[in-house]
Amino acid sequence: MQMFAKKRIEILIERAVLKRLTEELERTGVSGYSVAPLAGGRGRAGRWEADGQIGDAAGMFALWCIVDAARLDELLQVVFAIVARQVGLVSVSDVQVVRPERF
Amino acid sequence: MQMFAKKRIEILIERAVLKRLTEELERTGVSGYSVAPLAGGRGRAGRWEADGQIGDAAGMFALWCIVDAARLDELLQVVFAIVARQVGLVSVSDVQVVRPERF
Amino acid sequence: MQMFAKKRIEILIERAVLKRLTEELERTGVSGYSVAPLAGGRGRAGRWEADGQIGDAAGMFALWCIVDAARLDELLQVVFAIVARQVGLVSVSDVQVVRPERF
Amino acid sequence: MLALAVQNLVSPSVLFFGMGLGASLGRSDLSVPEAIARFLSLYLLISIGFRGGAEVAHQGVTPGLALAIVAGIVLSAGLPFIAYALLRYGARLDHVNAAAVAGHYGSISAVTFVAITGALTQLALPYDGYMIAVAAAMETPAIFSVLVIARSGQGRAKGELSGDFLREIALNGSIVALLGAFVVGCITGERGMSSLKPFLLDAFPGFLCVFLLDMGLIAGRGLRDGWRSLSPAVAGFAWVMPLIGAVFAALFARLIGLSPGSTAILMTLGASASYIAVPAAMRLALPAANPAIALTLSLGLTFPFNLIVGIPLYIAAAQMIAR
Amino acid sequence: MLALAVQNLVSPSVLFFGMGLGASLGRSDLSVPEAIARFLSLYLLISIGFRGGAEVAHQGVTPGLALAIVAGIVLSAGLPFIAYALLRYGARLDHVNAAAVAGHYGSISAVTFVAITGALTQLALPYDGYMIAVAAAMETPAIFSVLVIARSGQGRAKGELSGDFLREIALNGSIVALLGAFVVGCITGERGMSSLKPFLLDAFPGFLCVFLLDMGLIAGRGLRDGWRSLSPAVAGFAWVMPLIGAVFAALFARLIGLSPGSTAILMTLGASASYIAVPAAMRLALPAANPAIALTLSLGLTFPFNLIVGIPLYIAAAQMIAR
Amino acid sequence: MLALAVQNLVSPSVLFFGMGLGASLGRSDLSVPEAIARFLSLYLLISIGFRGGAEVAHQGVTPGLALAIVAGIVLSAGLPFIAYALLRYGARLDHVNAAAVAGHYGSISAVTFVAITGALTQLALPYDGYMIAVAAAMETPAIFSVLVIARSGQGRAKGELSGDFLREIALNGSIVALLGAFVVGCITGERGMSSLKPFLLDAFPGFLCVFLLDMGLIAGRGLRDGWRSLSPAVAGFAWVMPLIGAVFAALFARLIGLSPGSTAILMTLGASASYIAVPAAMRLALPAANPAIALTLSLGLTFPFNLIVGIPLYIAAAQMIAR
Ligand SMILES: Nc1ncnc2c1ncn2[C@@H]1O[C@H](COP(=O)(O)O)[C@@H](O)[C@H]1O
Ligand SMILES: Nc1ncnc2c1ncn2[C@@H]1O[C@H](COP(=O)(O)O)[C@@H](O)[C@H]1O
Ligand SMILES: Nc1ncnc2c1ncn2[C@@H]1O[C@H](COP(=O)(O)O)[C@@H](O)[C@H]1O
Ligand code: NA
Ligand code: NA
Ligand code: NA
């Protein structure tokens, strides 16, 4: 099958901020995104675990978004406007898809 | 360590169809696959969240499979035969592994 | 935005061994890692599902760690010392990040 | 009848449904974790099934059982054709979505079943314990009718009738839980019930409230995201179809001579729409259908309609119709 | 008073908290799944809210209610300023973290509320059912005070007061659950309570034990990872601030003429610190603050302090102060 | 004895186990969410532990306690050697897998413990409350015996005895939950029990049914995927080993003079195999072992064997053996 190159942005983000991020992404008109729960991790803010958390703020998610390379910069700007001040991490990688018109 | 290039197929798929996909993958003789739960997302079919879902159909998963490049096309065919009509997404990326004979 | 190339190590690992792995990673001084739960999969040891598992050993996780290429080999050594004998899988891919000094 | 409607309206479970609805329409981030929602639905099915079985063990298998099950199956298999016609030619919904929605309305809603039995108990109107078996029997026939409807379409959608698919439908987790618990209840009867009473019976109203809170949250999400895509005619279907289903059920109930209480239950089953077992089957059989449409109709419009307007109406009618 | 302290200390729920604390300080891998922890906190809020509502339905809305709510709001809005001053100038905590921690101490802890009402019931000291409404009213005002404090800082952190943010705070899931259940309890009263009693009332001490086991586990994790970063002065704050909060609350209670029981509750609310609703607001308003500091202080130090030392003290004081 | 066997067979919990077994052998997609399964196992351990502790608080520490614990430890440490010999030389299982399975059979099954105490209560046969402490003491010694066995192997597997590993085993979450709840039960006694009774005692049979449904599902999955890889000899081991364990336990019980009820319990503990705490230790100590083998044997074959054949047998034997 013929494959077409796209970019995959992955954002690790706190539960409290997830809704803002998805609303902002929708406003830019991304074709879609996916969110998966994290079970724990470690970063500059120390170590954390999802198990047992009782607060509304607890927990982090990995959100990823497959987009056309042409839109990458615009989206990164949007993402950083929200994520920069928060606990989190943004990374980009290359992927290939079959139906390029979807992204 | 010496690393060897392989392909990573990632398939976002509905709960209702997951079993069919894994059975089909096993039939092709893939060496393995992994499945992770999604918490939500957005696509052409709109936005969804895993939380609170009460139906047997609710929920999506990310399934990925590390395979040899030589088998990529065959597997994509198998995958698309199942996934094409469903809500979902297929993408491919490059990875490196240490023990190439496993895949 | 200017992006910088890094490596992403992904390790699929059993619940029973996760703590050892994270402690070992912390000892090497990695800047961070993230852990996500798996819902199921298949490998040489057969098929498994997270649902319904009652034992303390049940379940697998995907742990990933974004690191500088210069540290890749050292970390793979540490990882393999723990994971080699266990059920699991290690793979490496390329990613790009915005703030290279964090890794 | 109005008194019952009002009383239903201010029962804790309906109020929790309303609270969920309000919270999600108001965009609150209140939510029930996925694992809990799945557990609650398992718990409800087990509790309903077990109680039905224990009831049958107590009452014995009366001759009406087989007749009632046949009536239920025919009803569940027949209603999708009416629903499809209404949606397709009345509400101008496209072929695939009309077929998928029709499947939901042939099948039944377990929580609506709970609501009607609760109302009957409050009114001291007796009903047959085997009606839970009738409810279970009505879960799936609608799915097969949908396959027939889908095939008759202009080739735009094709259903599938492979052995695998039939097995997947018959062994659907929800149906196995309901029927399995029914069988366990039949076997262990009073004795089993006495040990499980605190969990399955006494705690039931509490678990039900949390479940209905969750249903309200989901319904609100569906209405919020989906109301634009629902034409008034399609929305209207969600309030008309229950009445049609109830009328047909009443005819069948009269025919086989059900008691007033059981008649009211059969009418409610006919009037209610599925949101647990059928959606999964529709994703397999009609992947091109938009699942949000059926969910929003059945959960967001038909379910509260039945709770508030329908059930009092069905009970009043059943008392007039049945001997 | 000592007798009550000892009795509190050996109550199952406190012992389960201790067990969790010990397990996680000893690095056991004991844990409560995330979905269960989230459910338990939803359950507690619903149970507390519903019981408060049913109590108000029973007692009627007494004139004191409005006054008590105003007192609670002023208290919740005022305490963060005192807490900030103590932390910033007494304990030399940096501006952002001092502001974030201060927000937690203006707000209240639902589980501490449960503990004080339990102790009062045991002592047969009556209190007003509407105090749960006061507790709910004290959840959020502190958040707005923090925004004021944050703005006044040397420009290093800026809070935000957008409409979105206000909506997010007001519609926070925990607050909606607590208030929603309160309203349902008000409407359904005795009748609702009788059907929900096994789940919401009888099972409550059991669920509470599991919740406190979990709180112990989290507190232990926080203390283990965080004690190095807590200066003695900051740690001391966690034991001094409750007393200050309680004193102010006692003044307000005296002013509006609360009964001894309700006075003890208001003092406990003033003395307790939030760990459910406020942390989420702080992540949005003050992302640069380290969430572990506030959590460790409120859960690891203040919560056990209130349970063991505080509550007996507040009750004794309330009996002396109130008419 | 037969009557008890039949009665056991038609108890709700055994029937739910059978329902789960049937559902997963029939490839139904019925499942219990992971978080719920983990919670149920935590709940069972806390409930069992707490009740044991409350019982000890009630009965006082009788002199037999220490002796019974020593007997349990010796039994748990000794049985793996017998099990290993049977598996390795009788059933020709490879070294590593034989060692790992042997570890499971030295340890005990909490749910089987519940079943025997339930049967004794039904028969009005008294037993000592401290037997839960004996059960807890038997959880881990087997793990150390496995390490000894593994080292003695032909160098193909090496166990490890680092301090970290010992700590991980001793602070295993399940053991901490069981022992912690036991201690809380001891301290709070009757008073604690009365407040926790609805949750920990009354609701227990219900939670147990869901847990056993889940165990049936898992056992069925194991049997479905694993029966090919189990030789008849290895499968036979799962029915022979319980009898051997029970015989040794009977000898010890006679030696230390346990009552008939407590003798039956010790025999059941000896006969049962672990599937909660030991598997995790085996993944660390013997990663090369295939975890599916031990799980399928202990959950799919030994557990139902003990429930249906074993327990009635052990009770009958205990009544003959003990004074
Ligand atoms: N190098 C890394 N690789 C993978 N995940 C990371 C890394 N650094 C941080 N994270 C994740 O991002 C979260 C927040 O990081 P931080 O903002 O540095 O505290 C952590 O809890 C981890 O889940
Ligand atoms: N561009 C995208 N990037 C990441 N995930 C996507 C994207 N588009 C769709 N998805 C995911 O795939 C699911 C189904 O997409 P769709 O079939 O377009 O409705 C969505 O709910 C998302 O979880
Ligand atoms: N080729 C593969 N692609 C993705 N995941 C795999 C693959 N092989 C194994 N896995 C995952 O790694 C786990 C352990 O594999 P194994 O050690 O081969 O049993 C499996 O249960 C899968 O979750
Ligand atoms: Na229907
Ligand atoms: Na306070
Ligand atoms: Na044993």
Side-chain angles (χ1 to χ4, degrees), chain F residues 251-306:
Chain F
L251 291 178
F252 278 82
R254 184 88 177 89
L255 209 69
I256 63 172
L258 287 181
S259 70
S262 296
T263 298
I265 293 183
L266 196 66
M267 292 175 71
T268 307
L269 291 173
S272 73
S274 171
Y275 34 70
I276 296 188
V278 173
M282 292 299 113
R283 292 313 300 144
L284 290 170
L286 296 173
N290 178 353
I293 297 178
L295 195 75
T296 304
L297 291 179
S298 66
L299 209 55
L301 299 176
T302 297
F303 173 68
F305 173 83
N306 275 328

Side-chain angles (χ1 to χ4, degrees), chain D residues 7-323:
Chain D
Q7 201 178 49
N8 256 2
L9 203 57
V10 298
S11 78
S13 48
V14 173
L15 290 172
F16 272 106
F17 180 83
M19 169 181 159
L21 202 65
S24 84
L25 288 175
R27 301 183 159 271
S28 166
D29 65 352
L30 181 60
S31 73
V32 175
E34 185 186 7
I36 300 298
R38 299 188 82 80
F39 168 72
L40 289 173
S41 111
L42 179 65
Y43 169 84
L44 293 183
L45 294 168
I46 287 179
S47 175
I48 297 170
F50 189 91
R51 286 148 70 175
E55 201 58 44
V56 166
H58 181 66
Q59 298 180 353
V61 178
T62 49
L65 171 58
L67 272 179
I69 287 187
V70 171
I73 291 176
V74 174
L75 204 54
S76 168
L79 289 177
F81 292 95
I82 301 172
Y84 177 79
L86 278 176
L87 286 163
R88 188 85 187 86
Y89 307 109
R92 306 250 141 247
L93 197 60
D94 65 285
H95 172 63
V96 176
N97 279 308
V101 172
H104 288 72
Y105 280 81
S107 183
I108 62 114
S109 143
V111 177
T112 313
F113 176 83
V114 167
I116 175 72
T117 55
L120 292 175
T121 305
Q122 226 165 23
L123 296 172
L125 256 183
Y127 59 89
D128 298 293
Y130 61 63
M131 290 306 291
I132 181 63
V134 177
M138 292 176 71
E139 285 274 6
T140 38
I143 297 171
F144 300 103
S145 304
V146 171
L147 297 183
V148 173
I149 294 170
R151 268 151 200 274
S152 73
Q154 301 90 330
R156 262 177 293 154
K158 48 178 231 288
E160 41 175 325
L161 253 166
S162 69
D164 270 9
F165 179 64
L166 295 186
R167 212 200 51 214
E168 279 171 311
I169 305 256
L171 291 175
N172 173 287
S174 301
I175 293 167
V176 168
L178 186 66
L179 282 180
F182 181 81
V183 170
V184 175
C186 280
I187 298 177
T188 61
E190 305 271 292
R191 195 170 48 83
M193 186 43 110
S194 79
S195 79
L196 296 179
K197 183 172 172 295
F199 183 71
L200 288 187
L201 214 68
D202 299 343
F204 188 84
F207 280 119
L208 185 64
C209 282
V210 184
F211 189 74
L212 283 177
L213 170 62
D214 186 36
M215 284 181 64
L217 290 167
I218 303 291
R221 238 192 256 163
L223 289 173
R224 210 177 64 200
D225 295 349
W227 70 270
R228 274 168 216 278
S229 58
L230 292 184
S231 71
V234 170
F237 166 85
W239 288 328
V240 172
M241 187 63 211
L243 299 175
I244 296 177
V247 167
F248 276 92
L251 292 179
F252 278 82
R254 184 88 176 89
L255 209 69
I256 62 172
L258 286 182
S259 71
S262 297
T263 298
I265 293 183
L266 196 65
M267 292 175 71
T268 307
L269 291 173
S272 74
S274 171
Y275 34 70
I276 296 188
V278 172
M282 292 300 113
R283 291 313 300 145
L284 290 171
L286 296 173
N290 178 355
I293 297 178
L295 195 74
T296 304
L297 291 179
S298 64
L299 208 55
L301 298 176
T302 297
F303 173 69
F305 173 83
N306 275 328
L307 233 51
I308 294 164
V309 180
I311 287 181
L313 203 68
Y314 311 148
I315 293 179
Q319 285 176 303
M320 282 159 47
I321 294 164
R323 286 160 292 193

Side-chain angles (χ1 to χ4, degrees), chain A residues 31-34 64-66 102-103, chain B residues 42-45 48 87-89:
Chain A
S31 67
Y33 55 81
S34 297
W64 67 95
C65 192
I66 297 181
R102 275 189 61 177
F103 303 90
Chain B
R42 183 183 192 90
R44 293 158 305 169
W48 67 275
V87 168
L89 187 63

Side-chain angles (χ1 to χ4, degrees), chain B residues 31-34 64-66 102-103, chain C residues 42-45 48 87-89:
Chain B
S31 66
Y33 55 80
S34 296
W64 67 94
C65 193
I66 297 181
R102 276 188 60 178
F103 302 91
Chain C
R42 183 182 193 88
R44 294 157 306 170
W48 67 275
V87 167
L89 188 62

Side-chain angles (χ1 to χ4, degrees), chain A residues 35 37 61, chain B residues 15 37-41 47-55 58-60, chain D residues 31-38 214 218 221:
Chain A
V35 181
F61 293 90
Chain B
R15 181 189 292 274
L38 296 187
R47 194 211 302 227
W48 67 275
E49 274 173 55
D51 265 358
Q53 295 292 356
I54 49 179
M60 292 193 73
Chain D
S31 73
V32 175
E34 185 186 7
I36 300 298
R38 299 188 82 80
D214 186 36
I218 303 291
R221 238 192 256 163

Side-chain angles (χ1 to χ4, degrees), chain C residues 15-49:
Chain C
R15 181 189 293 273
V17 198
L18 177 62
K19 206 172 155 196
R20 287 196 186 173
L21 178 61
T22 57
E23 282 172 1
E24 206 55 53
L25 286 176
E26 286 168 20
R27 219 162 286 154
T28 67
V30 294
S31 65
Y33 55 81
S34 297
V35 182
L38 297 187
R42 183 182 193 88
R44 294 157 306 170
R47 194 212 301 227
W48 67 275
E49 275 173 54

